């Protein structure tokens, strides 16, 4: 499935390493060829620690809401052999922990996003994906979202815990992002041993950037430890406006997250570097004056992915 090297999607932004936070041309080439990129120790350790603390509260709030029958659907549960477990929390910015906005405004994150999506980057999803203690269920091979590939669509995955071989580490199939994959046939033929598969070991503060069409998953384990990853998906505004599934009003609403995020970063790091947001003037959003209302912009529709266990299901920050 790896095939030969192909050029970047038409209309994709080239790397512009104007700061230490942007990707190099070599890193962009690796991403375009393989569909993933590992960046070691990318996120400041104090920010990772505060994200981990916030995640504990997100998880506790979700379990409490589920037990009391008032889950709004932002907290996703599944019935596993170990019991009913929480595996994803969506719309992080509206969950009372401003550290998620701080991460969005982090130059290390926005530099990656601009390198791959260009200056009109749109933050499209924000989720915490986790494997809880004792939950060693597999995440079958899948592609998060399938699209025409006129632009890059990708997730920036910030790891809060170690994820190691034998402990449920993510597996990716390099080069599998160039076309829709028949993941059922792939699974039937190869199981977890798809030719060329790479086991991606990660530590807290590491970042995995993955194309939403790269085939990935994680095999089952026993006695799995807690593993948490924050997923931020990004797309170019040009791609969304041309192909959907959202409209200009939705893009405008999502872009209003960025001034809030940049302000939060500056408030916590008054003497630190700031990301020079260079969105086109025609797309620069006007603030509405109610920051709280800007924090939970629902999707309504999704770009379908390619799965086997349940057919095509909504994409975005999937269950790894």
């Amino acid at each position: 499935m790896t095939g030969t090297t192909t050029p970047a999607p038409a209309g994709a932004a080239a790397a512009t390493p104007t700061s230490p936070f942007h990707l190099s041309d070599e890193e962009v080439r690796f991403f375009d060829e393989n569909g993933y990129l590992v960046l070691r120790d990318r996120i400041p350790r104090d920010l990772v620690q505060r994200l981990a603390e916030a995640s504990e509260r997100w998880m506790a709030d979700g379990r409490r809401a589920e037990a009391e029958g008032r889950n709004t659907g932002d907290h996703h549960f599944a019935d596993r052999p170990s019991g009913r477990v929480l595996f994803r929390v969506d719309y992080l910015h509206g969950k009372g922990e401003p550290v998620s906005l701080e991460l969005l405004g982090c130059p290390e994150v926005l530099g990656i996003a601009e390198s791959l999506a260009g200056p009109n980057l749109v933050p499209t999803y924000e989720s915490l994906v986790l494997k809880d203690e004792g939950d060693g269920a597999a995440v079958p091979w899948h592609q998060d979202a399938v699209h025409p590939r006129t632009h890059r669509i990708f997730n920036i995955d910030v790891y809060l815990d170690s994820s190691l071989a034998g402990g449920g580490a993510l597996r990716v199939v390099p080069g599998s992002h160039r076309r829709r994959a028949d993941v059922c046939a792939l699974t039937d033929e190869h199981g977890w041993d798809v030719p060329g598969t790479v086991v991606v070991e990660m530590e807290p503060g590491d970042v995995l950037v993955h194309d939403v069409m790269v085939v990935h998953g994680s095999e089952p384990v026993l006695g799995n430890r807690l593993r948490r990853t924050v997923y931020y998906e990004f797309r170019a505004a040009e791609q969304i406006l041309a192909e959907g599934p959202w409209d200009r009003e939705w893009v405008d609403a999502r872009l209003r997250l960025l001034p809030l995020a940049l302000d939060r970063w500056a408030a916590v790091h008054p003497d630190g570097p700031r990301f020079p947001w260079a969105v086109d003037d025609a797309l620069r959003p006007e603030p509405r004056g109610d920051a709280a209302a800007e924090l939970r912009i629902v999707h309504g529709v999704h770009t379908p992915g390619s799965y086997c266990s349940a057919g095509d299901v909504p994409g975005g920050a999937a269950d790894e």
Side-chain angles (χ1 to χ4, degrees):
M1 294 189 64
T2 54
T4 58
T5 300
T6 58
T16 53
T18 58
S19 78
F21 308 116
H22 287 86
L23 299 179
S24 68
D25 288 340
E26 181 181 357
E27 288 171 329
V28 173
R29 280 194 297 270
F30 184 94
F31 178 82
D32 284 336
E33 292 172 9
N34 295 281
Y36 77 100
L37 176 68
V38 175
L39 301 167
R40 298 295 182 194
D41 203 23
R42 183 81 176 195
I43 305 302
R45 291 302 177 95
D46 67 310
L47 178 52
V48 173
Q49 179 59 41
R50 285 183 284 111
L51 284 165
E53 293 168 358
S55 76
E56 295 289 347
R57 292 185 283 273
W58 290 326
M59 292 157 59
D61 288 347
R63 294 184 183 112
R64 188 179 308 111
E66 178 79 355
E68 296 173 359
R70 53 180 180 82
N71 187 356
T72 63
D74 288 1
H75 296 84
H76 298 261
F77 289 80
D79 293 316
R80 312 282 203 214
S82 58
R84 190 158 177 80
V85 298
L86 176 67
F87 67 89
R88 188 170 80 233
V89 182
D90 289 335
Y91 301 114
L92 299 183
H93 304 317
K95 297 291 184 291
E97 299 288 344
V99 69
S100 69
L101 272 180
E102 181 188 346
L103 178 65
L104 179 59
C106 178
E108 287 86 352
V109 169
L110 291 177
I112 300 168
E114 186 176 66
S115 296
L116 297 177
N120 298 325
L121 58 96
V122 181
T124 48
Y125 287 85
E126 60 280 339
S127 300
L128 174 75
V129 174
L130 65 136
K131 283 193 173 181
D132 210 345
E133 293 182 15
D135 176 21
V139 177
W141 291 120
H142 66 278
Q143 294 171 301
D144 293 336
V146 177
H147 61 98
R149 302 201 60 77
T150 59
H151 293 73
R152 304 181 185 97
I153 302 178
F154 55 93
N155 277 293
I156 296 177
D157 315 341
V158 177
Y159 277 72
L160 308 185
D161 302 289
S162 296
S163 180
L164 305 176
L170 194 69
R171 301 167 73 90
V172 302
V173 182
S176 58
H177 59 299
R178 300 184 184 116
R179 62 190 63 86
R180 184 188 188 95
D182 184 342
V183 291
C184 291
L186 198 68
T187 302
D188 289 344
E189 182 176 359
H190 300 290
W192 287 107
D193 297 319
V194 176
T197 293
V198 173
V199 178
V200 184
E201 293 193 305
M202 306 291 284
E203 294 290 349
D206 290 347
V207 167
L208 172 66
V209 190
H210 80 264
D211 188 297
V212 296
M213 284 182 62
V214 76
V215 174
H216 60 292
S218 57
E219 59 188 327
V221 294
L222 297 175
N224 192 45
R225 298 180 300 171
L226 176 64
R227 190 185 74 185
R228 298 160 293 180
T229 310
V230 174
Y231 281 72
Y232 285 172
E233 188 197 85
F234 290 89
R235 308 186 186 197
E238 296 90 338
Q239 183 272 330
I240 299 172
L241 296 175
E243 301 170 7
W246 307 293
D247 58 16
R248 174 61 186 267
E249 182 179 359
W250 190 89
V251 168
D252 186 67
R254 295 294 299 191
L255 283 173
R256 288 199 297 272
L257 286 168
L258 287 172
L260 299 175
L262 292 167
D263 288 347
R264 182 62 192 173
W265 174 266
V268 179
H269 308 271
D271 300 321
R274 302 182 187 184
F275 184 77
W277 189 36
V279 64
D280 288 353
D281 288 341
L283 289 168
R284 189 174 294 275
E286 292 292 334
R288 296 291 178 86
D290 184 359
E294 309 285 2
L295 297 180
R296 188 179 182 279
I297 308 301
V298 300
H299 297 93
V301 293
H302 304 271
T303 303
S306 180
Y307 290 69
C308 183
S309 58
D312 288 348
V313 301
D319 182 16
E320 283 207 0

